[in-house]
Amino acid sequence: MTICFVSEYSVERLAVTRRRKKVHGVEAVVLVGGKGTRLRPLTLSAPKPMLPTAGVPFLTHLLSRIKEAGITHVVLGTSYKAEVFEEYFGDGSRLGLELEYVVEEVPLDTAGAIRNVADKLREPDVMVFNGDILSGVDLTGIVDTHRKHEADVTLHLVKVADPRAFGCVPTDDEGRVQAFLEKTENPPTDQINAGCYVFRREVIDAIPAGRPVSVERETFPGLLSEGKRLQGHVDATYWLDLGKPEAFVQGSADLVRGVAPSAAVAQPGDYLVLEGSSVHEGATLKGGATVGANCTVAEGAVLDGAILFDGAVVGENAVVERSIVGAGALVQAGAVLRDAVVGDSAVIGARCELIGGARVWPGVVLPEAGVRFSTDA
């Protein structure tokens, strides 16, 4: 097997972007304050938007899309492990952006977090992103919809096969939002809130400051009752909430393979190997697998849609499918991981089997054949 080593993200990759219309008079707010509890134990050491995804912190992919749309001023609303973001991204100049940071000292919910960064804003229109959504929507198209309809707020809406697990957002024939409905067994529409908005600056300034405020339960219903125009921008492009391990694995694999767009992926392929890693020619990598920097993958190992964080080791004939192996973790010979999460520096003993959502906390050592789901030990 020929191994292609891909260096870590650099600004040059952002320079090679699709030629698209650029927006003007728009800045961005990215909300990255959540604790990412659904992704534990991975988020015990890093915020969810900073977890490696297709070789770089996930937030890099979102910032690349924002830059691609022509937006250069970005404010990050941080809270959990807030210092990590600025330590990595700095002032944003490496990405061709101007980044600023605002720390949320107490939980303020979505609208409260948006209001919390208002002092940093300076443009008439503000594009707001949830920091854990992977999307292929044309950002300039959302802004065009917003301005065409002179909306107070425009929401990116996506159609999903089963909207029962989401809040639904019905719209009229002109795309004007009619209501915000909680989860229901009989939803009247398949349109859901996709976690990306364009706000007129005055709307942000009117959000109550200094207390928790929800966009879905307070801000948007309040605007509707006041007769304000909330516009839906509905599309059927790629969209994925990366909040759960299975979605996180899928999103990373889709980025590697080019199914999900990102200017931070140099060249899509069936797998990605970062510099400093050693992959035996007898190993099999497929399904959008990512091997982080300074990893080792032994002969006969199979990585299918897997993510290895930096310094991970996978032994001979081990199988890692749709699973995440944390930094410095060791998966010994013959072990099988399917839909599992292994924390940093953990050891999975030889011939162990972890399947169906199993999670191993950082530093835990499982002995040889210590956990199995079959009897052929």
Side-chain angles (χ1 to χ4, degrees), residues 7-43:
S7 63
E8 190 173 351
Y9 170 80
S10 62
V11 69
E12 286 77 10
R13 296 186 186 179
L14 280 180
V16 184
T17 59
R18 293 183 293 276
R19 294 186 177 276
R20 282 183 173 178
K21 174 185 174 183
K22 307 296 184 183
V23 298
H24 301 281
V26 183
E27 58 200 333
V29 171
V30 184
L31 304 178
V32 290
K35 292 184 177 181
T37 54
R38 293 180 297 170
L39 280 173
R40 286 181 179 172
L42 301 175
T43 49

PDB file of all heavy atoms in Angstrom, residues 7-43:
ATOM      1  N   SER A   7       0.939  16.990   5.318  1.00  0.00           N
ATOM      2  CA  SER A   7       1.402  17.855   6.405  1.00  0.00           C
ATOM      3  C   SER A   7       0.234  18.509   7.096  1.00  0.00           C
ATOM      4  O   SER A   7      -0.873  18.587   6.576  1.00  0.00           O
ATOM      5  CB  SER A   7       2.336  18.934   5.848  1.00  0.00           C
ATOM      6  OG  SER A   7       1.645  19.754   4.949  1.00  0.00           O
ATOM      7  N   GLU A   8       0.479  19.023   8.322  1.00  0.00           N
ATOM      8  CA  GLU A   8      -0.574  19.675   9.092  1.00  0.00           C
ATOM      9  C   GLU A   8      -1.035  20.929   8.377  1.00  0.00           C
ATOM     10  O   GLU A   8      -0.338  21.498   7.539  1.00  0.00           O
ATOM     11  CB  GLU A   8      -0.045  20.016  10.491  1.00  0.00           C
ATOM     12  CG  GLU A   8      -1.146  20.460  11.422  1.00  0.00           C
ATOM     13  CD  GLU A   8      -0.648  20.620  12.838  1.00  0.00           C
ATOM     14  OE1 GLU A   8       0.508  20.220  13.102  1.00  0.00           O
ATOM     15  OE2 GLU A   8      -1.394  21.134  13.671  1.00  0.00           O
ATOM     16  N   TYR A   9      -2.229  21.361   8.738  1.00  0.00           N
ATOM     17  CA  TYR A   9      -2.872  22.506   8.105  1.00  0.00           C
ATOM     18  C   TYR A   9      -1.970  23.736   8.047  1.00  0.00           C
ATOM     19  O   TYR A   9      -1.267  24.040   8.978  1.00  0.00           O
ATOM     20  CB  TYR A   9      -4.141  22.850   8.884  1.00  0.00           C
ATOM     21  CG  TYR A   9      -4.751  24.145   8.462  1.00  0.00           C
ATOM     22  CD1 TYR A   9      -5.530  24.206   7.328  1.00  0.00           C
ATOM     23  CD2 TYR A   9      -4.511  25.302   9.169  1.00  0.00           C
ATOM     24  CE1 TYR A   9      -6.078  25.387   6.930  1.00  0.00           C
ATOM     25  CE2 TYR A   9      -5.053  26.498   8.777  1.00  0.00           C
ATOM     26  CZ  TYR A   9      -5.846  26.532   7.656  1.00  0.00           C
ATOM     27  OH  TYR A   9      -6.382  27.723   7.263  1.00  0.00           O
ATOM     28  N   SER A  10      -1.996  24.422   6.921  1.00  0.00           N
ATOM     29  CA  SER A  10      -1.276  25.684   6.789  1.00  0.00           C
ATOM     30  C   SER A  10      -2.144  26.666   6.021  1.00  0.00           C
ATOM     31  O   SER A  10      -3.086  26.292   5.338  1.00  0.00           O
ATOM     32  CB  SER A  10       0.052  25.482   6.036  1.00  0.00           C
ATOM     33  OG  SER A  10      -0.185  25.021   4.730  1.00  0.00           O
ATOM     34  N   VAL A  11      -1.831  27.934   6.131  1.00  0.00           N
ATOM     35  CA  VAL A  11      -2.669  28.962   5.521  1.00  0.00           C
ATOM     36  C   VAL A  11      -2.713  28.833   4.014  1.00  0.00           C
ATOM     37  O   VAL A  11      -3.668  29.244   3.366  1.00  0.00           O
ATOM     38  CB  VAL A  11      -2.179  30.366   5.945  1.00  0.00           C
ATOM     39  CG1 VAL A  11      -0.833  30.687   5.330  1.00  0.00           C
ATOM     40  CG2 VAL A  11      -3.203  31.435   5.551  1.00  0.00           C
ATOM     41  N   GLU A  12      -1.674  28.234   3.407  1.00  0.00           N
ATOM     42  CA  GLU A  12      -1.667  28.102   1.962  1.00  0.00           C
ATOM     43  C   GLU A  12      -2.871  27.315   1.468  1.00  0.00           C
ATOM     44  O   GLU A  12      -3.369  27.529   0.372  1.00  0.00           O
ATOM     45  CB  GLU A  12      -0.376  27.422   1.491  1.00  0.00           C
ATOM     46  CG  GLU A  12       0.862  28.311   1.565  1.00  0.00           C
ATOM     47  CD  GLU A  12       1.394  28.444   2.990  1.00  0.00           C
ATOM     48  OE1 GLU A  12       0.922  27.707   3.880  1.00  0.00           O
ATOM     49  OE2 GLU A  12       2.277  29.292   3.202  1.00  0.00           O
ATOM     50  N   ARG A  13      -3.372  26.375   2.284  1.00  0.00           N
ATOM     51  CA  ARG A  13      -4.518  25.584   1.865  1.00  0.00           C
ATOM     52  C   ARG A  13      -5.776  26.441   1.769  1.00  0.00           C
ATOM     53  O   ARG A  13      -6.654  26.179   0.955  1.00  0.00           O
ATOM     54  CB  ARG A  13      -4.748  24.432   2.849  1.00  0.00           C
ATOM     55  CG  ARG A  13      -3.597  23.445   2.854  1.00  0.00           C
ATOM     56  CD  ARG A  13      -3.934  22.250   3.735  1.00  0.00           C
ATOM     57  NE  ARG A  13      -2.770  21.379   3.841  1.00  0.00           N
ATOM     58  CZ  ARG A  13      -2.743  20.274   4.546  1.00  0.00           C
ATOM     59  NH1 ARG A  13      -3.811  19.899   5.207  1.00  0.00           N
ATOM     60  NH2 ARG A  13      -1.649  19.538   4.611  1.00  0.00           N
ATOM     61  N   LEU A  14      -5.864  27.446   2.635  1.00  0.00           N
ATOM     62  CA  LEU A  14      -7.017  28.332   2.553  1.00  0.00           C
ATOM     63  C   LEU A  14      -6.988  29.176   1.290  1.00  0.00           C
ATOM     64  O   LEU A  14      -8.018  29.625   0.818  1.00  0.00           O
ATOM     65  CB  LEU A  14      -7.049  29.251   3.774  1.00  0.00           C
ATOM     66  CG  LEU A  14      -7.604  28.649   5.057  1.00  0.00           C
ATOM     67  CD1 LEU A  14      -7.570  29.701   6.154  1.00  0.00           C
ATOM     68  CD2 LEU A  14      -9.005  28.140   4.866  1.00  0.00           C
ATOM     69  N   ALA A  15      -5.790  29.399   0.757  1.00  0.00           N
ATOM     70  CA  ALA A  15      -5.671  30.247  -0.426  1.00  0.00           C
ATOM     71  C   ALA A  15      -6.259  29.580  -1.658  1.00  0.00           C
ATOM     72  O   ALA A  15      -6.654  30.242  -2.611  1.00  0.00           O
ATOM     73  CB  ALA A  15      -4.202  30.588  -0.674  1.00  0.00           C
ATOM     74  N   VAL A  16      -6.297  28.251  -1.657  1.00  0.00           N
ATOM     75  CA  VAL A  16      -6.836  27.513  -2.795  1.00  0.00           C
ATOM     76  C   VAL A  16      -8.302  27.227  -2.501  1.00  0.00           C
ATOM     77  O   VAL A  16      -8.659  26.206  -1.958  1.00  0.00           O
ATOM     78  CB  VAL A  16      -6.068  26.197  -3.029  1.00  0.00           C
ATOM     79  CG1 VAL A  16      -6.590  25.506  -4.268  1.00  0.00           C
ATOM     80  CG2 VAL A  16      -4.583  26.479  -3.154  1.00  0.00           C
ATOM     81  N   THR A  17      -9.186  28.132  -2.828  1.00  0.00           N
ATOM     82  CA  THR A  17     -10.605  28.006  -2.532  1.00  0.00           C
ATOM     83  C   THR A  17     -11.421  28.159  -3.803  1.00  0.00           C
ATOM     84  O   THR A  17     -10.952  28.666  -4.818  1.00  0.00           O
ATOM     85  CB  THR A  17     -11.057  29.084  -1.537  1.00  0.00           C
ATOM     86  OG1 THR A  17     -10.794  30.369  -2.098  1.00  0.00           O
ATOM     87  CG2 THR A  17     -10.311  28.955  -0.221  1.00  0.00           C
ATOM     88  N   ARG A  18     -12.670  27.683  -3.720  1.00  0.00           N
ATOM     89  CA  ARG A  18     -13.564  27.810  -4.865  1.00  0.00           C
ATOM     90  C   ARG A  18     -13.840  29.283  -5.127  1.00  0.00           C
ATOM     91  O   ARG A  18     -13.944  30.085  -4.211  1.00  0.00           O
ATOM     92  CB  ARG A  18     -14.873  27.081  -4.576  1.00  0.00           C
ATOM     93  CG  ARG A  18     -14.699  25.592  -4.477  1.00  0.00           C
ATOM     94  CD  ARG A  18     -16.053  24.923  -4.265  1.00  0.00           C
ATOM     95  NE  ARG A  18     -16.611  25.267  -2.979  1.00  0.00           N
ATOM     96  CZ  ARG A  18     -16.291  24.627  -1.865  1.00  0.00           C
ATOM     97  NH1 ARG A  18     -15.439  23.641  -1.882  1.00  0.00           N
ATOM     98  NH2 ARG A  18     -16.841  24.969  -0.707  1.00  0.00           N
ATOM     99  N   ARG A  19     -13.979  29.619  -6.416  1.00  0.00           N
ATOM    100  CA  ARG A  19     -14.275  30.999  -6.780  1.00  0.00           C
ATOM    101  C   ARG A  19     -15.771  31.244  -6.584  1.00  0.00           C
ATOM    102  O   ARG A  19     -16.598  30.803  -7.367  1.00  0.00           O
ATOM    103  CB  ARG A  19     -13.869  31.274  -8.233  1.00  0.00           C
ATOM    104  CG  ARG A  19     -12.369  31.206  -8.452  1.00  0.00           C
ATOM    105  CD  ARG A  19     -12.001  31.633  -9.858  1.00  0.00           C
ATOM    106  NE  ARG A  19     -10.565  31.627 -10.051  1.00  0.00           N
ATOM    107  CZ  ARG A  19      -9.759  32.609  -9.726  1.00  0.00           C
ATOM    108  NH1 ARG A  19     -10.267  33.703  -9.183  1.00  0.00           N
ATOM    109  NH2 ARG A  19      -8.462  32.527  -9.930  1.00  0.00           N
ATOM    110  N   ARG A  20     -16.093  31.913  -5.517  1.00  0.00           N
ATOM    111  CA  ARG A  20     -17.473  32.203  -5.198  1.00  0.00           C
ATOM    112  C   ARG A  20     -17.635  33.686  -4.957  1.00  0.00           C
ATOM    113  O   ARG A  20     -16.691  34.393  -4.644  1.00  0.00           O
ATOM    114  CB  ARG A  20     -17.909  31.449  -3.935  1.00  0.00           C
ATOM    115  CG  ARG A  20     -18.217  29.980  -4.138  1.00  0.00           C
ATOM    116  CD  ARG A  20     -18.702  29.382  -2.830  1.00  0.00           C
ATOM    117  NE  ARG A  20     -19.178  28.030  -2.987  1.00  0.00           N
ATOM    118  CZ  ARG A  20     -19.613  27.280  -1.995  1.00  0.00           C
ATOM    119  NH1 ARG A  20     -19.629  27.765  -0.779  1.00  0.00           N
ATOM    120  NH2 ARG A  20     -20.036  26.053  -2.205  1.00  0.00           N
ATOM    121  N   LYS A  21     -18.862  34.122  -5.068  1.00  0.00           N
ATOM    122  CA  LYS A  21     -19.189  35.493  -4.732  1.00  0.00           C
ATOM    123  C   LYS A  21     -18.848  35.743  -3.268  1.00  0.00           C
ATOM    124  O   LYS A  21     -19.090  34.911  -2.403  1.00  0.00           O
ATOM    125  CB  LYS A  21     -20.679  35.721  -4.971  1.00  0.00           C
ATOM    126  CG  LYS A  21     -21.197  37.066  -4.532  1.00  0.00           C
ATOM    127  CD  LYS A  21     -22.699  37.117  -4.716  1.00  0.00           C
ATOM    128  CE  LYS A  21     -23.276  38.399  -4.141  1.00  0.00           C
ATOM    129  NZ  LYS A  21     -24.754  38.421  -4.268  1.00  0.00           N
ATOM    130  N   LYS A  22     -18.269  36.898  -2.976  1.00  0.00           N
ATOM    131  CA  LYS A  22     -17.910  37.257  -1.609  1.00  0.00           C
ATOM    132  C   LYS A  22     -18.956  38.208  -1.027  1.00  0.00           C
ATOM    133  O   LYS A  22     -19.533  39.023  -1.748  1.00  0.00           O
ATOM    134  CB  LYS A  22     -16.535  37.927  -1.565  1.00  0.00           C
ATOM    135  CG  LYS A  22     -15.422  37.137  -2.241  1.00  0.00           C
ATOM    136  CD  LYS A  22     -15.132  35.822  -1.562  1.00  0.00           C
ATOM    137  CE  LYS A  22     -13.953  35.129  -2.218  1.00  0.00           C
ATOM    138  NZ  LYS A  22     -13.677  33.803  -1.616  1.00  0.00           N
ATOM    139  N   VAL A  23     -19.169  38.094   0.268  1.00  0.00           N
ATOM    140  CA  VAL A  23     -20.118  38.989   0.919  1.00  0.00           C
ATOM    141  C   VAL A  23     -19.376  40.185   1.506  1.00  0.00           C
ATOM    142  O   VAL A  23     -18.180  40.121   1.786  1.00  0.00           O
ATOM    143  CB  VAL A  23     -20.895  38.258   2.034  1.00  0.00           C
ATOM    144  CG1 VAL A  23     -21.708  37.112   1.457  1.00  0.00           C
ATOM    145  CG2 VAL A  23     -19.957  37.760   3.123  1.00  0.00           C
ATOM    146  N   HIS A  24     -20.105  41.261   1.702  1.00  0.00           N
ATOM    147  CA  HIS A  24     -19.538  42.478   2.273  1.00  0.00           C
ATOM    148  C   HIS A  24     -20.476  42.987   3.366  1.00  0.00           C
ATOM    149  O   HIS A  24     -21.682  42.745   3.343  1.00  0.00           O
ATOM    150  CB  HIS A  24     -19.345  43.547   1.194  1.00  0.00           C
ATOM    151  CG  HIS A  24     -18.445  43.114   0.075  1.00  0.00           C
ATOM    152  ND1 HIS A  24     -17.074  43.116   0.184  1.00  0.00           N
ATOM    153  CD2 HIS A  24     -18.738  42.640  -1.164  1.00  0.00           C
ATOM    154  CE1 HIS A  24     -16.552  42.674  -0.946  1.00  0.00           C
ATOM    155  NE2 HIS A  24     -17.531  42.375  -1.777  1.00  0.00           N
ATOM    156  N   GLY A  25     -19.923  43.725   4.318  1.00  0.00           N
ATOM    157  CA  GLY A  25     -20.734  44.257   5.395  1.00  0.00           C
ATOM    158  C   GLY A  25     -21.250  43.196   6.343  1.00  0.00           C
ATOM    159  O   GLY A  25     -22.283  43.389   6.993  1.00  0.00           O
ATOM    160  N   VAL A  26     -20.523  42.080   6.415  1.00  0.00           N
ATOM    161  CA  VAL A  26     -20.926  40.967   7.280  1.00  0.00           C
ATOM    162  C   VAL A  26     -19.725  40.530   8.109  1.00  0.00           C
ATOM    163  O   VAL A  26     -18.601  40.451   7.602  1.00  0.00           O
ATOM    164  CB  VAL A  26     -21.446  39.771   6.454  1.00  0.00           C
ATOM    165  CG1 VAL A  26     -21.929  38.651   7.387  1.00  0.00           C
ATOM    166  CG2 VAL A  26     -22.559  40.192   5.513  1.00  0.00           C
ATOM    167  N   GLU A  27     -19.954  40.255   9.384  1.00  0.00           N
ATOM    168  CA  GLU A  27     -18.942  39.638  10.223  1.00  0.00           C
ATOM    169  C   GLU A  27     -19.538  38.369  10.830  1.00  0.00           C
ATOM    170  O   GLU A  27     -20.726  38.097  10.662  1.00  0.00           O
ATOM    171  CB  GLU A  27     -18.479  40.610  11.313  1.00  0.00           C
ATOM    172  CG  GLU A  27     -19.597  41.102  12.210  1.00  0.00           C
ATOM    173  CD  GLU A  27     -19.232  42.391  12.931  1.00  0.00           C
ATOM    174  OE1 GLU A  27     -18.038  42.625  13.161  1.00  0.00           O
ATOM    175  OE2 GLU A  27     -20.162  43.171  13.257  1.00  0.00           O
ATOM    176  N   ALA A  28     -18.721  37.609  11.528  1.00  0.00           N
ATOM    177  CA  ALA A  28     -19.188  36.323  12.035  1.00  0.00           C
ATOM    178  C   ALA A  28     -18.991  36.213  13.537  1.00  0.00           C
ATOM    179  O   ALA A  28     -18.021  36.732  14.096  1.00  0.00           O
ATOM    180  CB  ALA A  28     -18.464  35.178  11.332  1.00  0.00           C
ATOM    181  N   VAL A  29     -19.911  35.503  14.170  1.00  0.00           N
ATOM    182  CA  VAL A  29     -19.801  35.085  15.561  1.00  0.00           C
ATOM    183  C   VAL A  29     -19.887  33.560  15.572  1.00  0.00           C
ATOM    184  O   VAL A  29     -20.790  32.990  14.964  1.00  0.00           O
ATOM    185  CB  VAL A  29     -20.925  35.682  16.432  1.00  0.00           C
ATOM    186  CG1 VAL A  29     -20.924  35.048  17.830  1.00  0.00           C
ATOM    187  CG2 VAL A  29     -20.781  37.191  16.522  1.00  0.00           C
ATOM    188  N   VAL A  30     -18.940  32.925  16.238  1.00  0.00           N
ATOM    189  CA  VAL A  30     -18.964  31.472  16.369  1.00  0.00           C
ATOM    190  C   VAL A  30     -19.069  31.132  17.850  1.00  0.00           C
ATOM    191  O   VAL A  30     -18.231  31.556  18.658  1.00  0.00           O
ATOM    192  CB  VAL A  30     -17.709  30.815  15.755  1.00  0.00           C
ATOM    193  CG1 VAL A  30     -17.824  29.292  15.832  1.00  0.00           C
ATOM    194  CG2 VAL A  30     -17.520  31.252  14.306  1.00  0.00           C
ATOM    195  N   LEU A  31     -20.097  30.379  18.195  1.00  0.00           N
ATOM    196  CA  LEU A  31     -20.341  30.015  19.587  1.00  0.00           C
ATOM    197  C   LEU A  31     -19.651  28.686  19.892  1.00  0.00           C
ATOM    198  O   LEU A  31     -20.026  27.642  19.359  1.00  0.00           O
ATOM    199  CB  LEU A  31     -21.845  29.909  19.842  1.00  0.00           C
ATOM    200  CG  LEU A  31     -22.660  31.160  19.497  1.00  0.00           C
ATOM    201  CD1 LEU A  31     -24.143  30.926  19.754  1.00  0.00           C
ATOM    202  CD2 LEU A  31     -22.159  32.376  20.277  1.00  0.00           C
ATOM    203  N   VAL A  32     -18.630  28.747  20.745  1.00  0.00           N
ATOM    204  CA  VAL A  32     -17.814  27.566  21.033  1.00  0.00           C
ATOM    205  C   VAL A  32     -17.666  27.341  22.540  1.00  0.00           C
ATOM    206  O   VAL A  32     -16.654  26.819  22.997  1.00  0.00           O
ATOM    207  CB  VAL A  32     -16.421  27.684  20.369  1.00  0.00           C
ATOM    208  CG1 VAL A  32     -16.525  27.574  18.868  1.00  0.00           C
ATOM    209  CG2 VAL A  32     -15.730  28.988  20.766  1.00  0.00           C
ATOM    210  N   GLY A  33     -18.681  27.712  23.300  1.00  0.00           N
ATOM    211  CA  GLY A  33     -18.561  27.671  24.751  1.00  0.00           C
ATOM    212  C   GLY A  33     -18.992  26.390  25.417  1.00  0.00           C
ATOM    213  O   GLY A  33     -18.790  26.216  26.616  1.00  0.00           O
ATOM    214  N   GLY A  34     -19.599  25.453  24.666  1.00  0.00           N
ATOM    215  CA  GLY A  34     -20.148  24.252  25.274  1.00  0.00           C
ATOM    216  C   GLY A  34     -19.087  23.300  25.807  1.00  0.00           C
ATOM    217  O   GLY A  34     -17.935  23.310  25.364  1.00  0.00           O
ATOM    218  N   LYS A  35     -19.503  22.440  26.753  1.00  0.00           N
ATOM    219  CA  LYS A  35     -18.580  21.478  27.361  1.00  0.00           C
ATOM    220  C   LYS A  35     -18.451  20.193  26.563  1.00  0.00           C
ATOM    221  O   LYS A  35     -17.568  19.384  26.834  1.00  0.00           O
ATOM    222  CB  LYS A  35     -19.033  21.160  28.783  1.00  0.00           C
ATOM    223  CG  LYS A  35     -18.905  22.337  29.739  1.00  0.00           C
ATOM    224  CD  LYS A  35     -19.271  21.936  31.158  1.00  0.00           C
ATOM    225  CE  LYS A  35     -19.075  23.098  32.119  1.00  0.00           C
ATOM    226  NZ  LYS A  35     -19.408  22.726  33.518  1.00  0.00           N
ATOM    227  N   GLY A  36     -19.336  19.962  25.607  1.00  0.00           N
ATOM    228  CA  GLY A  36     -19.231  18.770  24.778  1.00  0.00           C
ATOM    229  C   GLY A  36     -19.359  17.473  25.560  1.00  0.00           C
ATOM    230  O   GLY A  36     -18.636  16.512  25.313  1.00  0.00           O
ATOM    231  N   THR A  37     -20.312  17.428  26.499  1.00  0.00           N
ATOM    232  CA  THR A  37     -20.423  16.261  27.377  1.00  0.00           C
ATOM    233  C   THR A  37     -20.757  14.981  26.616  1.00  0.00           C
ATOM    234  O   THR A  37     -20.377  13.889  27.042  1.00  0.00           O
ATOM    235  CB  THR A  37     -21.493  16.504  28.454  1.00  0.00           C
ATOM    236  OG1 THR A  37     -22.732  16.877  27.828  1.00  0.00           O
ATOM    237  CG2 THR A  37     -21.066  17.625  29.382  1.00  0.00           C
ATOM    238  N   ARG A  38     -21.452  15.092  25.484  1.00  0.00           N
ATOM    239  CA  ARG A  38     -21.800  13.885  24.724  1.00  0.00           C
ATOM    240  C   ARG A  38     -20.589  13.234  24.080  1.00  0.00           C
ATOM    241  O   ARG A  38     -20.659  12.083  23.648  1.00  0.00           O
ATOM    242  CB  ARG A  38     -22.854  14.220  23.667  1.00  0.00           C
ATOM    243  CG  ARG A  38     -24.209  14.615  24.216  1.00  0.00           C
ATOM    244  CD  ARG A  38     -25.187  14.928  23.105  1.00  0.00           C
ATOM    245  NE  ARG A  38     -24.770  16.080  22.308  1.00  0.00           N
ATOM    246  CZ  ARG A  38     -25.340  16.449  21.174  1.00  0.00           C
ATOM    247  NH1 ARG A  38     -26.346  15.741  20.683  1.00  0.00           N
ATOM    248  NH2 ARG A  38     -24.918  17.505  20.516  1.00  0.00           N
ATOM    249  N   LEU A  39     -19.491  13.982  23.996  1.00  0.00           N
ATOM    250  CA  LEU A  39     -18.268  13.431  23.396  1.00  0.00           C
ATOM    251  C   LEU A  39     -17.228  13.024  24.438  1.00  0.00           C
ATOM    252  O   LEU A  39     -16.090  12.724  24.082  1.00  0.00           O
ATOM    253  CB  LEU A  39     -17.651  14.446  22.431  1.00  0.00           C
ATOM    254  CG  LEU A  39     -18.286  14.522  21.044  1.00  0.00           C
ATOM    255  CD1 LEU A  39     -17.706  15.679  20.252  1.00  0.00           C
ATOM    256  CD2 LEU A  39     -18.097  13.223  20.279  1.00  0.00           C
ATOM    257  N   ARG A  40     -17.588  13.012  25.710  1.00  0.00           N
ATOM    258  CA  ARG A  40     -16.626  12.557  26.703  1.00  0.00           C
ATOM    259  C   ARG A  40     -16.313  11.080  26.481  1.00  0.00           C
ATOM    260  O   ARG A  40     -17.165  10.335  26.039  1.00  0.00           O
ATOM    261  CB  ARG A  40     -17.205  12.772  28.116  1.00  0.00           C
ATOM    262  CG  ARG A  40     -17.197  14.235  28.525  1.00  0.00           C
ATOM    263  CD  ARG A  40     -17.757  14.404  29.925  1.00  0.00           C
ATOM    264  NE  ARG A  40     -17.710  15.820  30.315  1.00  0.00           N
ATOM    265  CZ  ARG A  40     -18.272  16.299  31.409  1.00  0.00           C
ATOM    266  NH1 ARG A  40     -18.936  15.490  32.222  1.00  0.00           N
ATOM    267  NH2 ARG A  40     -18.184  17.581  31.711  1.00  0.00           N
ATOM    268  N   PRO A  41     -15.062  10.668  26.747  1.00  0.00           N
ATOM    269  CA  PRO A  41     -14.017  11.382  27.476  1.00  0.00           C
ATOM    270  C   PRO A  41     -13.130  12.288  26.630  1.00  0.00           C
ATOM    271  O   PRO A  41     -12.206  12.895  27.160  1.00  0.00           O
ATOM    272  CB  PRO A  41     -13.186  10.239  28.051  1.00  0.00           C
ATOM    273  CG  PRO A  41     -13.278   9.179  27.006  1.00  0.00           C
ATOM    274  CD  PRO A  41     -14.684   9.261  26.488  1.00  0.00           C
ATOM    275  N   LEU A  42     -13.387  12.404  25.330  1.00  0.00           N
ATOM    276  CA  LEU A  42     -12.493  13.184  24.472  1.00  0.00           C
ATOM    277  C   LEU A  42     -12.447  14.642  24.907  1.00  0.00           C
ATOM    278  O   LEU A  42     -11.398  15.295  24.838  1.00  0.00           O
ATOM    279  CB  LEU A  42     -12.951  13.081  23.019  1.00  0.00           C
ATOM    280  CG  LEU A  42     -13.011  11.670  22.433  1.00  0.00           C
ATOM    281  CD1 LEU A  42     -13.605  11.706  21.041  1.00  0.00           C
ATOM    282  CD2 LEU A  42     -11.627  11.026  22.417  1.00  0.00           C
ATOM    283  N   THR A  43     -13.572  15.183  25.343  1.00  0.00           N
ATOM    284  CA  THR A  43     -13.643  16.603  25.683  1.00  0.00           C
ATOM    285  C   THR A  43     -13.201  16.894  27.113  1.00  0.00           C
ATOM    286  O   THR A  43     -13.313  18.040  27.560  1.00  0.00           O
ATOM    287  CB  THR A  43     -15.068  17.126  25.459  1.00  0.00           C
ATOM    288  OG1 THR A  43     -16.003  16.236  26.087  1.00  0.00           O
ATOM    289  CG2 THR A  43     -15.376  17.208  23.973  1.00  0.00           C
TER     290      THR A  43
END
